[in-house]
Amino acid sequence: MENRKSILNCALQLFYQKGYDAVGVQEIVEKAGVTKPTLYYYFGSKRGLLEKLLQEHFGKMEEKLVRASAYDAGIPEILYRLARAFFDGATADPEFYLMILSLFYSGRQSEGFQIVYPMVKRYYRIYVEVFARASEELGNMHGRQEQFAIGFSGILDHHLMHAATNRDDLSKLHISDEETRSIVKQFMYGIYS
Amino acid sequence: MENRKSILNCALQLFYQKGYDAVGVQEIVEKAGVTKPTLYYYFGSKRGLLEKLLQEHFGKMEEKLVRASAYDAGIPEILYRLARAFFDGATADPEFYLMILSLFYSGRQSEGFQIVYPMVKRYYRIYVEVFARASEELGNMHGRQEQFAIGFSGILDHHLMHAATNRDDLSKLHISDEETRSIVKQFMYGIYS
DNA sequence: CAGCCTGTATACCGATTGGTATAATTGCTA
DNA sequence: TAGCAATTATACCAATCGGTATACAGGCTG
């Protein structure tokens, strides 16, 4: 059972660094110190490995976002909590979330996109619901909840990407509370505030 | 010289659909109706093919953005022009820009990221300069021009991605003027406006 | 007609791809 | 201690990877 974990960890690191398609099964098992049949015993295929890898990391982030999206405060507070939860979750497990992003932006017909798309959609729905519920506070949304959700997640993803670029030590990746507040403030009140 | 063009076009389509690493040289030349030595005669390597491909498409988008960023109007107008130029450029050449995005979000150590990063940086700089120049209008930026640029480009990228998802015919990809104005308005004045 | 440069095809290279048949090892249970 | 199930290694598979040596066309110039 320890080999299984080692394979998952090594695969995550390699997929993040080089991309899913560019990493061979051989490379993974060598880094993990096992042999191929061990990998195929646990995961069945390279695709199965990716699926299990995503499943095991997906839940934590979703749970954080769901908890942050609770409708027990005003929009400013909820959006701040969401951004904070997102940055916390992403910086606690940076390789995973950056891999998610790379898979989400990869070719539509690629294995990676097909596997990751339903997951990203679930994150996205959380945002949409937050804005939909906020119609009391924001007035009739006229369908703009989707536009807001796209914009909000786009900003968060982009800031995360930017923070990760040119940083070789991902473990020190962090987005400060001050920056988070500034980002959310800009989203809510615009650039003139 | 016609084979050269055919190779470039087929490579772009395949790279967009499946991702750079998942597409073999053999697949490209078969689709283009040529043989491998022809590809290597023109481009030297698979990497060389990607570089030439990016170079031939990069200029048009950059030119549009630079023209739109001219400092001859207020921020609202400039940002609208930028968004319009971005969506026009991206929907006129959707495979190219979506491929750029996929390469930009791919693993840091991947060939694709290394090649595309300097180009994306040049787009990004255009946004940064726009916000930096706008300090008269927006007051002291305190370095927030980078935050604005990240947010703005993140929103545009995300909206483009979203518009392209679940659309099999990319040629009909379009983002309306109304939507563009709404997106820019939200960015400038927030969600309460 | 000889020579040359551009462009293209046949056929090949070693290395690596994802994946597996088989057997051995392990610890647990009957 | 015999046997069973879980786990792992050796050694292999056909197919594909990126890339190339060689030859041969075609047009152009001497």
Side-chain angles (χ1 to χ4, degrees), chain A residues 65 67-85 126 130-131 133-134 137 152 184 188:
Chain A
L65 291 179
R67 212 178 314 133
S69 71
Y71 194 42
D72 58 2
I75 276 285
E77 176 64 15
I78 294 178
L79 288 188
Y80 166 72
R81 283 196 322 220
L82 271 176
R84 193 65 263 161
I126 298 173
V130 165
F131 289 111
R133 277 181 336 211
E137 208 168 329
F152 192 64
V184 173
M188 285 188 299

Side-chain angles (χ1 to χ4, degrees), chain A residues 23-25 36 40 46:
Chain A
V23 176
V25 173
K36 280 207 272 186
Y40 281 91
K46 190 187 174 187

